[in-house]
Amino acid sequence: INGACANMGMTTDDGVMEVQETKEKEKVKNVVTWTDEMDHCLTELLVNQVMLGNRLEKFFKTSAYIAALTALNERFDLNLTKENIINRLKIWKKQYDVLKEMLSQGRFEWDEGCKMVVATDLAWDEYIKVYLVLYNIKLFSSYFGLYLFAIAVH
């Protein structure tokens, strides 16, 4: 009977199923797929908050996050939270660090017209090899991962 209850989303006698389903639903609600337009809008909003003096040394004031999420929620009909914006900024920081490291090598350049990093095929091949080894990346769950691995060990 418990199996049937689980399939129907009902609670088992000890209430465990209800708690697990609630936690999983909360996680799904907070997942945001950011578009380029949303990123651009967030950038403009946060630059404006900096100009208003709403940035501390490493973080924004709570009022800055609230202003940004309110504007994004209204413009894109979303239900963002402060944590969504903080998480987006963490992703931007990681992307910036990778970009900065790549550009410091001299083999990569920023193409302003395409808004992307460009390099020779050889530079990309070498970078992928090093990246896979340094970070012990395991990409075997997809064909693309197998392709990258084949390039790296070639």
Side-chain angles (χ1 to χ4, degrees), residues 2 5-7 9-25:
N2 282 345
C5 290
N7 289 336
M10 299 173 72
T11 309
T12 59
D13 290 338
D14 60 4
V16 172
M17 176 60 84
E18 183 178 310
V19 172
Q20 288 175 335
E21 286 184 1
T22 301
K23 287 182 181 177
E24 288 177 18
K25 286 179 184 177

Side-chain angles (χ1 to χ4, degrees), residues 43-119:
T43 302
E44 288 180 356
L45 291 165
L46 293 178
V47 166
N48 187 43
Q49 290 301 313
V50 169
M51 294 172 70
L52 293 172
N54 290 330
R55 177 160 167 89
L56 304 172
E57 285 184 33
K58 291 187 177 185
F59 304 100
F60 287 91
K61 293 180 181 178
T62 299
S63 60
Y65 291 114
I66 292 171
L69 70 89
T70 300
L72 287 166
N73 285 340
E74 288 176 8
R75 180 168 178 185
F76 298 102
D77 194 29
L78 298 169
N79 191 24
L80 296 175
T81 64
K82 178 181 172 183
E83 287 73 29
N84 294 129
I85 293 177
I86 290 171
N87 288 337
R88 191 61 181 163
L89 293 176
K90 287 178 185 177
I91 290 170
W92 285 358
K93 172 73 170 114
K94 287 178 186 177
Q95 291 172 339
Y96 172 78
D97 289 343
V98 170
L99 181 65
K100 183 178 173 184
E101 187 271 328
M102 289 176 77
L103 294 175
S104 73
Q105 295 181 14
R107 300 178 299 159
F108 298 92
E109 295 178 5
W110 180 256
D111 184 325
E112 186 61 34
C114 296
K115 304 285 187 211
M116 62 187 244
V117 174
V118 294

Side-chain angles (χ1 to χ4, degrees), residues 111-128:
D111 184 325
E112 186 61 34
C114 296
K115 304 285 187 211
M116 62 187 244
V117 174
V118 294
T120 65
D121 288 343
L122 178 62
W124 282 114
D125 290 345
E126 290 175 6
Y127 181 80
I128 290 169

